[in-house]
Amino acid sequence: MNYTVEEKEFFMREALKEAEIALANDEIPIGCVIVKDGKIIGRGHNAREELQRAVMHAEVMAIEEANAHEKSWRLLDTTLFVTIEPCVMCSGAIGLARIPWVIYGAKNQKFGAAGSLYDILTDERLNHRVELESGILEAECAQMMQDFFRKRRQK
Amino acid sequence: MNYTVEEKEFFMREALKEAEIALANDEIPIGCVIVKDGKIIGRGHNAREELQRAVMHAEVMAIEEANAHEKSWRLLDTTLFVTIEPCVMCSGAIGLARIPWVIYGAKNQKFGAAGSLYDILTDERLNHRVELESGILEAECAQMMQDFFRKRRQK
């Protein structure tokens, strides 16, 4: 993955657009895109409430779309951009899909499994390891979550 | 969850039937059923190769079916029976679906996340904890995996 900072910010803004779809549906605002050769091959947003499906996190939705696009469960040579650090399930799914590069915006201290609670993506005991970067558009990614939870507490 | 040993073995045999479907498709033979009030509301088998979807493990397929059956992402008062210890992704999915009871047949020393590599299902830092039991029809569940990998090595 040899994207410039500008390219990384471009794709993270696309992930933020997905997070805005979740926000408009009153879902926890997390968005994701999967990129191959500079093109988006999968998009996803948290849709647990909308679809009443427990596994429909942004990353899983994007992986499902990318698997269909590639006609393969293996997402070789792809980069996954997600606004918030992946949870345990999504970190596991990223490894199972063999995604080699992951970039996330802001940490999730409560549920993150890519540095916060666990280091699933870089665990040497597992058969797939990811090159991980964080902090791209961190403030915007974190702000969207903070606004959502502030509003929810006010209700 | 107040199932007798006979009932637990009955439902694990149903999970083994699902594993046999995977085996017939030349997939790693793992099967799962989700039970509520003594009735199966979700069934699943590993279908990664058949469907070319990275997330299509037995547990995720069963959770998706149970979510549709219940018209809810929350699988309250359910028991998940799976032939082999869940991986990281599936352990995360079980927590996200709020499944309270999990019974698995045999351990997975290489990828298991419910006692082997991780203890995801009983981690007190996460917001959902599972009551876990293992060893039901352990020999049959393990044997199916051993036969599969022995045949694969011979090919």
Side-chain angles (χ1 to χ4, degrees):
Chain A
M1 185 250 314
N2 271 314
Y3 295 120
T4 63
V5 175
E6 288 72 24
E7 287 169 329
K8 289 174 188 172
E9 290 186 355
F10 172 83
F11 290 122
M12 194 60 84
R13 280 195 204 291
E14 292 297 311
L16 277 164
K17 285 181 195 169
E18 287 294 315
E20 276 162 23
I21 297 171
L23 188 66
N25 293 337
D26 208 27
E27 306 258 8
I28 296 172
I30 301 177
C32 178
V33 296
I34 297 173
V35 180
K36 185 173 183 175
D37 301 329
K39 281 183 194 154
I40 294 173
I41 62 166
R43 311 182 67 100
H45 54 271
N46 179 28
R48 178 175 75 172
E49 301 293 341
E50 180 193 355
L51 301 176
Q52 291 296 318
R53 292 167 64 186
V55 303
M56 267 302 121
H57 279 189
E59 299 94 317
V60 167
M61 187 188 282
I63 287 170
E64 290 269 85
E65 197 172 303
N67 284 154
H69 181 274
E70 297 288 294
K71 299 182 180 64
S72 172
W73 62 262
R74 284 184 192 82
L75 299 179
L76 304 177
D77 302 318
T78 60
T79 306
L80 181 144
F81 293 80
V82 60
T83 57
I84 300 293
E85 181 184 353
C87 75
V88 169
M89 174 186 72
C90 291
S91 298
I94 287 165
L96 290 169
R98 306 287 188 265
I99 295 172
W101 298 291
V102 170
I103 301 182
Y104 67 79
K107 276 203 173 305
N108 186 337
Q109 306 281 2
K110 272 181 86 172
F111 301 114
S116 291
L117 297 187
Y118 294 98
D119 289 295
I120 305 281
L121 297 180
T122 53
D123 186 336
E124 300 207 340
R125 298 171 304 171
L126 297 171
N127 64 344
H128 179 74
R129 276 167 305 279
V130 166
E131 202 173 305
L132 190 61
E133 185 178 336
S134 62
I136 301 288
L137 301 186
E138 182 175 1
E140 290 93 321
C141 293
Q143 191 66 48
M144 201 180 278
M145 291 285 273
Q146 284 159 12
D147 290 349
F148 175 80
F149 285 108
R150 188 176 306 121
K151 265 190 202 159
R152 180 173 274 192
R153 279 192 300 271
Q154 286 167 352
K155 273 179 191 170
Chain B
M1 185 251 310
N2 271 315
Y3 296 120
T4 63
V5 175
E6 288 72 24
E7 287 169 329
K8 289 175 189 173
E9 290 187 353
F10 172 82
F11 290 121
M12 193 61 86
R13 282 196 203 289
E14 292 297 311
L16 277 164
K17 286 182 195 168
E18 287 293 314
E20 276 162 23
I21 297 172
L23 188 67
N25 293 337
D26 207 26
E27 307 256 9
I28 296 172
I30 300 177
C32 178
V33 296
I34 297 174
V35 179
K36 186 172 182 174
D37 300 330
K39 281 185 194 152
I40 294 173
I41 61 166
R43 310 182 69 101
H45 53 271
N46 180 29
R48 178 175 75 171
E49 302 293 341
E50 180 194 356
L51 302 176
Q52 291 296 317
R53 291 166 65 185
V55 303
M56 266 305 121
H57 279 189
E59 299 93 318
V60 167
M61 188 188 281
I63 288 170
E64 290 270 83
E65 197 172 303
N67 284 155
H69 181 275
E70 295 288 293
K71 300 183 179 64
S72 172
W73 62 262
R74 284 184 193 83
L75 298 179
L76 305 177
D77 302 319
T78 60
T79 305
L80 181 144
F81 293 80
V82 60
T83 57
I84 301 291
E85 182 185 353
C87 74
V88 169
M89 174 186 73
C90 291
S91 298
I94 287 165
L96 289 168
R98 307 287 189 266
I99 294 171
W101 299 290
V102 170
I103 300 183
Y104 67 79
K107 277 205 172 303
N108 186 336
Q109 305 280 2
K110 272 182 86 173
F111 301 114
S116 291
L117 298 186
Y118 294 98
D119 290 294
I120 305 281
L121 296 180
T122 52
D123 186 337
E124 299 208 340
R125 300 170 303 171
L126 296 171
N127 65 342
H128 178 76
R129 275 169 304 280
V130 165
E131 201 173 305
L132 191 61
E133 184 177 337
S134 62
I136 300 289
L137 301 185
E138 181 175 1
E140 290 93 321
C141 294
Q143 191 66 48
M144 202 180 278
M145 291 287 272
Q146 284 158 12
D147 291 348
F148 174 81
F149 286 109
R150 186 176 307 122
K151 266 190 202 160
R152 179 174 276 192
R153 279 192 300 271
Q154 286 167 349
K155 274 181 190 168

mmCIF file of all heavy atoms in Angstrom, chain B residues 71-91:
data_model
loop_
_atom_site.group_PDB
_atom_site.id
_atom_site.type_symbol
_atom_site.label_atom_id
_atom_site.label_comp_id
_atom_site.label_asym_id
_atom_site.label_seq_id
_atom_site.Cartn_x
_atom_site.Cartn_y
_atom_site.Cartn_z
ATOM 1 N N LYS B 71 -36.446 -11.539 14.005
ATOM 2 C CA LYS B 71 -36.594 -10.144 13.546
ATOM 3 C C LYS B 71 -35.900 -9.176 14.504
ATOM 4 O O LYS B 71 -36.377 -8.066 14.765
ATOM 5 C CB LYS B 71 -38.067 -9.764 13.373
ATOM 6 C CG LYS B 71 -38.797 -10.631 12.344
ATOM 7 C CD LYS B 71 -40.244 -10.142 12.181
ATOM 8 C CE LYS B 71 -40.995 -10.958 11.137
ATOM 9 N NZ LYS B 71 -41.132 -12.406 11.545
ATOM 10 N N SER B 72 -34.742 -9.608 15.023
ATOM 11 C CA SER B 72 -33.995 -8.795 15.988
ATOM 12 C C SER B 72 -32.525 -9.188 15.966
ATOM 13 O O SER B 72 -32.199 -10.363 15.796
ATOM 14 C CB SER B 72 -34.544 -9.016 17.400
ATOM 15 O OG SER B 72 -33.706 -8.385 18.363
ATOM 16 N N TRP B 73 -31.643 -8.184 16.147
ATOM 17 C CA TRP B 73 -30.222 -8.513 16.250
ATOM 18 C C TRP B 73 -29.896 -9.129 17.604
ATOM 19 O O TRP B 73 -28.872 -9.777 17.765
ATOM 20 C CB TRP B 73 -29.340 -7.282 15.961
ATOM 21 C CG TRP B 73 -29.492 -6.104 16.885
ATOM 22 C CD1 TRP B 73 -30.246 -4.982 16.678
ATOM 23 C CD2 TRP B 73 -28.828 -5.902 18.149
ATOM 24 N NE1 TRP B 73 -30.119 -4.118 17.731
ATOM 25 C CE2 TRP B 73 -29.247 -4.641 18.641
ATOM 26 C CE3 TRP B 73 -27.929 -6.664 18.903
ATOM 27 C CZ2 TRP B 73 -28.795 -4.127 19.865
ATOM 28 C CZ3 TRP B 73 -27.485 -6.153 20.124
ATOM 29 C CH2 TRP B 73 -27.917 -4.894 20.586
ATOM 30 N N ARG B 74 -30.804 -8.981 18.573
ATOM 31 C CA ARG B 74 -30.554 -9.521 19.922
ATOM 32 C C ARG B 74 -31.092 -10.939 20.028
ATOM 33 O O ARG B 74 -32.298 -11.150 19.906
ATOM 34 C CB ARG B 74 -31.266 -8.669 20.976
ATOM 35 C CG ARG B 74 -30.638 -7.350 21.302
ATOM 36 C CD ARG B 74 -31.412 -6.658 22.429
ATOM 37 N NE ARG B 74 -31.023 -5.267 22.570
ATOM 38 C CZ ARG B 74 -31.508 -4.282 21.835
ATOM 39 N NH1 ARG B 74 -32.401 -4.529 20.906
ATOM 40 N NH2 ARG B 74 -31.089 -3.041 22.033
ATOM 41 N N LEU B 75 -30.198 -11.879 20.311
ATOM 42 C CA LEU B 75 -30.616 -13.285 20.434
ATOM 43 C C LEU B 75 -30.700 -13.681 21.906
ATOM 44 O O LEU B 75 -29.988 -14.563 22.387
ATOM 45 C CB LEU B 75 -29.663 -14.177 19.649
ATOM 46 C CG LEU B 75 -29.628 -13.882 18.141
ATOM 47 C CD1 LEU B 75 -28.636 -14.798 17.438
ATOM 48 C CD2 LEU B 75 -31.020 -14.015 17.511
ATOM 49 N N LEU B 76 -31.603 -13.006 22.615
ATOM 50 C CA LEU B 76 -31.756 -13.235 24.047
ATOM 51 C C LEU B 76 -32.264 -14.654 24.295
ATOM 52 O O LEU B 76 -33.002 -15.220 23.479
ATOM 53 C CB LEU B 76 -32.731 -12.216 24.632
ATOM 54 C CG LEU B 76 -32.359 -10.752 24.357
ATOM 55 C CD1 LEU B 76 -33.431 -9.816 24.920
ATOM 56 C CD2 LEU B 76 -30.988 -10.415 24.960
ATOM 57 N N ASP B 77 -31.871 -15.244 25.450
ATOM 58 C CA ASP B 77 -32.373 -16.563 25.872
ATOM 59 C C ASP B 77 -32.105 -17.665 24.856
ATOM 60 O O ASP B 77 -32.907 -18.584 24.710
ATOM 61 C CB ASP B 77 -33.888 -16.502 26.156
ATOM 62 C CG ASP B 77 -34.220 -15.488 27.224
ATOM 63 O OD1 ASP B 77 -33.466 -15.420 28.216
ATOM 64 O OD2 ASP B 77 -35.204 -14.743 27.063
ATOM 65 N N THR B 78 -30.992 -17.560 24.139
ATOM 66 C CA THR B 78 -30.646 -18.597 23.166
ATOM 67 C C THR B 78 -29.385 -19.336 23.614
ATOM 68 O O THR B 78 -28.588 -18.826 24.396
ATOM 69 C CB THR B 78 -30.379 -17.999 21.770
ATOM 70 O OG1 THR B 78 -29.287 -17.082 21.863
ATOM 71 C CG2 THR B 78 -31.606 -17.287 21.225
ATOM 72 N N THR B 79 -29.217 -20.540 23.082
ATOM 73 C CA THR B 79 -27.997 -21.320 23.284
ATOM 74 C C THR B 79 -27.414 -21.642 21.912
ATOM 75 O O THR B 79 -28.134 -22.118 21.033
ATOM 76 C CB THR B 79 -28.288 -22.627 24.035
ATOM 77 O OG1 THR B 79 -28.960 -22.313 25.252
ATOM 78 C CG2 THR B 79 -26.997 -23.374 24.358
ATOM 79 N N LEU B 80 -26.133 -21.361 21.741
ATOM 80 C CA LEU B 80 -25.453 -21.681 20.480
ATOM 81 C C LEU B 80 -24.637 -22.948 20.677
ATOM 82 O O LEU B 80 -23.805 -23.032 21.599
ATOM 83 C CB LEU B 80 -24.570 -20.498 20.063
ATOM 84 C CG LEU B 80 -23.790 -20.640 18.740
ATOM 85 C CD1 LEU B 80 -23.716 -19.286 18.024
ATOM 86 C CD2 LEU B 80 -22.384 -21.186 18.989
ATOM 87 N N PHE B 81 -24.890 -23.943 19.841
ATOM 88 C CA PHE B 81 -24.119 -25.197 19.827
ATOM 89 C C PHE B 81 -23.236 -25.187 18.601
ATOM 90 O O PHE B 81 -23.744 -25.022 17.480
ATOM 91 C CB PHE B 81 -25.049 -26.420 19.741
ATOM 92 C CG PHE B 81 -25.914 -26.638 20.951
ATOM 93 C CD1 PHE B 81 -27.076 -25.898 21.135
ATOM 94 C CD2 PHE B 81 -25.567 -27.592 21.904
ATOM 95 C CE1 PHE B 81 -27.881 -26.099 22.256
ATOM 96 C CE2 PHE B 81 -26.372 -27.799 23.026
ATOM 97 C CZ PHE B 81 -27.520 -27.047 23.199
ATOM 98 N N VAL B 82 -21.928 -25.371 18.782
ATOM 99 C CA VAL B 82 -21.025 -25.411 17.636
ATOM 100 C C VAL B 82 -20.026 -26.546 17.843
ATOM 101 O O VAL B 82 -19.599 -26.808 18.970
ATOM 102 C CB VAL B 82 -20.350 -24.034 17.402
ATOM 103 C CG1 VAL B 82 -19.521 -23.575 18.594
ATOM 104 C CG2 VAL B 82 -19.512 -24.039 16.122
ATOM 105 N N THR B 83 -19.689 -27.231 16.751
ATOM 106 C CA THR B 83 -18.882 -28.448 16.886
ATOM 107 C C THR B 83 -17.451 -28.150 17.338
ATOM 108 O O THR B 83 -16.853 -28.970 18.032
ATOM 109 C CB THR B 83 -18.862 -29.239 15.558
ATOM 110 O OG1 THR B 83 -18.356 -28.399 14.514
ATOM 111 C CG2 THR B 83 -20.251 -29.735 15.191
ATOM 112 N N ILE B 84 -16.914 -26.977 16.947
ATOM 113 C CA ILE B 84 -15.524 -26.627 17.256
ATOM 114 C C ILE B 84 -15.476 -25.235 17.914
ATOM 115 O O ILE B 84 -16.282 -24.359 17.575
ATOM 116 C CB ILE B 84 -14.673 -26.630 15.957
ATOM 117 C CG1 ILE B 84 -14.707 -28.021 15.289
ATOM 118 C CG2 ILE B 84 -13.242 -26.165 16.196
ATOM 119 C CD1 ILE B 84 -13.977 -29.118 16.058
ATOM 120 N N GLU B 85 -14.550 -25.044 18.830
ATOM 121 C CA GLU B 85 -14.361 -23.762 19.527
ATOM 122 C C GLU B 85 -14.368 -22.581 18.543
ATOM 123 O O GLU B 85 -13.642 -22.613 17.542
ATOM 124 C CB GLU B 85 -13.006 -23.814 20.260
ATOM 125 C CG GLU B 85 -12.691 -22.564 21.058
ATOM 126 C CD GLU B 85 -11.280 -22.620 21.665
ATOM 127 O OE1 GLU B 85 -10.609 -23.669 21.575
ATOM 128 O OE2 GLU B 85 -10.863 -21.588 22.229
ATOM 129 N N PRO B 86 -15.152 -21.548 18.803
ATOM 130 C CA PRO B 86 -15.245 -20.409 17.876
ATOM 131 C C PRO B 86 -13.916 -19.657 17.711
ATOM 132 O O PRO B 86 -13.128 -19.553 18.641
ATOM 133 C CB PRO B 86 -16.284 -19.498 18.536
ATOM 134 C CG PRO B 86 -17.060 -20.367 19.454
ATOM 135 C CD PRO B 86 -16.101 -21.426 19.924
ATOM 136 N N CYS B 87 -13.711 -19.113 16.496
ATOM 137 C CA CYS B 87 -12.543 -18.261 16.197
ATOM 138 C C CYS B 87 -12.785 -16.855 16.747
ATOM 139 O O CYS B 87 -13.825 -16.576 17.353
ATOM 140 C CB CYS B 87 -12.312 -18.209 14.683
ATOM 141 S SG CYS B 87 -13.506 -17.185 13.790
ATOM 142 N N VAL B 88 -11.831 -15.966 16.514
ATOM 143 C CA VAL B 88 -11.942 -14.576 16.989
ATOM 144 C C VAL B 88 -13.190 -13.905 16.433
ATOM 145 O O VAL B 88 -13.996 -13.330 17.193
ATOM 146 C CB VAL B 88 -10.681 -13.760 16.589
ATOM 147 C CG1 VAL B 88 -10.896 -12.275 16.839
ATOM 148 C CG2 VAL B 88 -9.460 -14.243 17.368
ATOM 149 N N MET B 89 -13.359 -13.957 15.104
ATOM 150 C CA MET B 89 -14.528 -13.293 14.501
ATOM 151 C C MET B 89 -15.826 -13.816 15.087
ATOM 152 O O MET B 89 -16.694 -13.029 15.488
ATOM 153 C CB MET B 89 -14.544 -13.498 12.987
ATOM 154 C CG MET B 89 -15.810 -12.942 12.341
ATOM 155 S SD MET B 89 -15.975 -13.307 10.567
ATOM 156 C CE MET B 89 -16.368 -15.068 10.604
ATOM 157 N N CYS B 90 -15.961 -15.135 15.159
ATOM 158 C CA CYS B 90 -17.226 -15.720 15.620
ATOM 159 C C CYS B 90 -17.460 -15.455 17.105
ATOM 160 O O CYS B 90 -18.600 -15.233 17.525
ATOM 161 C CB CYS B 90 -17.262 -17.204 15.295
ATOM 162 S SG CYS B 90 -17.390 -17.495 13.511
ATOM 163 N N SER B 91 -16.398 -15.442 17.893
ATOM 164 C CA SER B 91 -16.556 -15.112 19.316
ATOM 165 C C SER B 91 -17.048 -13.677 19.454
ATOM 166 O O SER B 91 -17.926 -13.376 20.272
ATOM 167 C CB SER B 91 -15.223 -15.291 20.051
ATOM 168 O OG SER B 91 -14.812 -16.636 19.983
#
